[in-house]
Amino acid sequence: MDIDFVFLALGLAAFFAGFVDSIVGGGGLIQLPVLFTAFPTTAPATLFGTNKLASIVGTSSAALQYSRRVAIPWRVAGPGAVAALVGSWYGAKAVAYLDPSILRPLILVLLVLVAAYTFMRKELGAVSNEPEHGRRSAALALAIGGVIGFYDGFFGPGTGSFLIFLFIRLLGMDFLRASVSAKILNVSTNLAAIAFFAGNVELMWKLAAVMAACNLCGSVLGSRMALKHGTGFVRRMFLGVVLVLIARLTYDTFFR
């Protein structure tokens, strides 16, 4: 396969991944399959690490874009980011001992429940019902960050969607506040995974740089659209991404 065509295809995939990921997460749904198709004989850990390198630039940009218009709830995002950093590191390490595919059926069930609950509760995330964040919120954020961080390091699909849903359901945020908080935690999980993979496997740095630039462009466009169109737009994108995740995991679990 011509290397220029590979770079072009992966650059386009990274652009669309950055666009989707900046709004509701799920960019890995786009980037990873293209990476595995382009490099079928490359070690999965190398491709996972390269994907993280490309993603972190767009995720960081999205967090910055949101922070200019949406106040970041640092009493929640701060503890959650620390827990996510630790959880993601140990999740990445766990890949050496367990097969991540064992989680597919469980994650599929959880995503179906998340989609059904969000669809039935039209008011969910429409407005912020946040309490004054104190110790209880910090404890919840630590738990969310630790569990979802481990999941992201270990398996990954739907990380952003799970974070957004939990921030809305457990901490009363609207979709925009939940999305910016999820971005802060996603930066932490990506950092931890990159640190682990960079120290243990060979990464494709040149390709990652090209994909990161394209991911950044998509992320800027996506975050601007989310801020312009508000929580209703983010909610629709959230449901769309969750449904695509369900379809993908159903195929991987039962038909592959």
Side-chain angles (χ1 to χ4, degrees):
M1 190 181 294
D2 183 71
I3 191 66
D4 291 333
F5 175 77
V6 169
F7 271 59
L8 175 63
L10 286 165
L12 287 172
F15 175 85
F16 288 112
F19 176 82
V20 172
D21 203 61
S22 67
I23 304 171
V24 289
L29 268 177
I30 301 169
Q31 280 188 172
L32 273 173
V34 180
L35 275 167
F36 274 92
T37 300
F39 302 99
T41 60
T42 302
T46 294
L47 299 181
F48 279 118
T50 302
N51 174 65
K52 293 293 186 186
L53 281 170
S55 298
I56 194 170
V57 176
T59 304
S60 300
S61 169
L64 181 61
Q65 292 283 327
Y66 281 114
S67 69
R68 291 172 177 168
R69 296 271 300 276
V70 181
I72 298 174
W74 284 110
R75 288 189 176 183
V76 170
V82 173
L85 186 76
V86 176
S88 181
W89 173 269
Y90 282 102
K93 286 189 72 173
V95 174
Y97 305 101
L98 297 169
D99 181 3
S101 65
I102 63 174
L103 285 180
R104 274 201 198 111
L106 173 61
I107 300 306
L108 180 57
V109 170
L110 290 175
L111 283 169
V112 169
L113 292 175
V114 165
Y117 187 88
T118 305
F119 185 78
M120 290 187 294
R121 298 287 297 272
K122 305 292 185 184
E123 78 285 358
L124 184 73
V127 295
S128 177
N129 296 306
E130 292 178 68
E132 185 175 344
H133 293 307
R135 290 182 179 177
R136 179 182 179 276
S137 294
L140 282 171
L142 282 168
I144 292 169
V147 172
I148 303 301
F150 181 89
Y151 169 74
D152 190 37
F154 183 65
F155 189 49
T159 294
S161 300
F162 282 128
L163 285 172
I164 289 172
F165 178 78
L166 291 171
F167 282 138
I168 292 171
R169 181 65 185 85
L170 299 181
L171 293 168
M173 296 181 184
D174 62 29
F175 269 100
L176 277 178
R177 290 265 287 180
S179 188
V180 69
S181 300
K183 295 295 170 290
I184 300 298
L185 270 68
N186 258 154
V187 171
S188 287
T189 62
N190 285 345
L191 275 174
I194 288 169
F196 177 81
F197 286 126
N200 292 276
V201 299
E202 188 74 27
L203 298 181
M204 305 164 77
W205 294 96
K206 186 181 292 187
L207 175 61
V210 172
M211 292 178 67
C214 297
N215 192 281
L216 175 63
C217 293
S219 178
V220 170
L221 178 62
S223 53
R224 287 180 178 176
M225 286 189 67
L227 289 167
K228 179 180 179 180
H229 296 291
T231 57
F233 172 74
V234 178
R235 182 181 188 275
R236 290 191 295 273
M237 284 289 294
F238 174 82
L239 280 169
V241 168
V242 170
L243 289 175
V244 172
L245 273 165
I246 290 170
R248 173 65 191 275
L249 286 174
T250 299
Y251 173 77
D252 287 345
T253 304
F254 298 108
F255 301 105
R256 229 171 132 176

